[in-house]
Amino acid sequence: ATPAAAFAYDFDSLPGGEISPGTLVPDIAGSHPGTVRGTGAMITTGPRGGADRALLLPGGAAGSAAAYVEMAPGLTDATTGDLTISAWLKWSGSQECAWAYTLGSSTERYLFATPRCGGNLIGAVKLQGEQRATNDGPAASTRWTHVAVSLESGRRITTFIDGQAVASTATT
């Protein structure tokens, strides 16, 4: 059986245009709303078109004032087993090694995806050392792409693009 989502952010209910820092992003799967931090976030048309909405982030260097969504704390802990994080991305194609999403509490323990770093889309996890499941090439920059990174009980990390596993590596 497929487990239920721990959280799912919904941008459809947010007003169009620029989103102010501190805006709460509703969690339609539970009670873990996200919070917009930084500046420059906007609502745009999402991957299904029409009334579907998505969050447009400006990108920026680490430590910049660029907008991001801070996930609610308490979603995972040291005992969390299998974990998958996914998002629809429409990447501009310009920024190298920007994290599309990350989950972690420090630079020593995290899971992330980047549309392009060193020319490739990468899903990675760092527990002891960083392990990467690297696609051959970057994410598409001309269309919406579904990107998922799955951690299997600390044994394996797999990167998926549009539902297809493109890379997998052991984490132990």
Side-chain angles (χ1 to χ4, degrees):
T2 303
F7 68 98
Y9 291 150
D10 176 28
F11 302 104
D12 292 347
S13 63
L14 296 177
E18 189 165 344
I19 299 298
S20 301
T23 298
L24 291 181
V25 180
D27 172 14
I28 59 174
S31 59
H32 298 93
T35 304
V36 175
R37 304 286 187 209
T39 58
M42 298 189 72
I43 294 296
T44 189
T45 303
R48 292 179 295 274
D52 186 39
R53 292 185 170 194
L55 186 65
L56 176 66
L57 299 172
S64 75
Y68 63 95
V69 175
E70 180 179 66
M71 293 184 234
L75 292 171
T76 64
D77 60 28
T79 64
T80 300
D82 296 349
L83 174 72
T84 300
I85 299 178
S86 66
W88 283 98
L89 306 178
K90 190 171 183 186
W91 176 57
S92 70
S94 62
Q95 193 168 2
E96 182 79 5
C97 300
W99 289 10
Y101 53 80
T102 184
L103 180 64
S105 58
S106 72
T107 58
E108 297 304 313
R109 185 176 170 89
Y110 54 77
L111 176 98
F112 79 89
T114 177
R116 182 182 73 198
C117 193
N120 299 306
L121 182 145
I122 297 172
V125 63
K126 185 171 184 181
L127 300 170
Q128 305 278 322
E130 187 174 275
Q131 301 297 319
R132 294 180 171 193
T134 304
N135 182 47
D136 184 25
S141 60
T142 58
R143 65 177 179 84
W144 286 98
T145 304
H146 188 264
V147 177
V149 178
S150 179
L151 179 62
E152 300 169 40
S153 296
R155 295 185 308 268
R156 175 163 294 285
I157 185 169
T158 304
T159 300
F160 295 84
I161 299 177
D162 295 330
Q164 300 296 311
V166 296
S168 189
T169 191
T171 58
T172 56

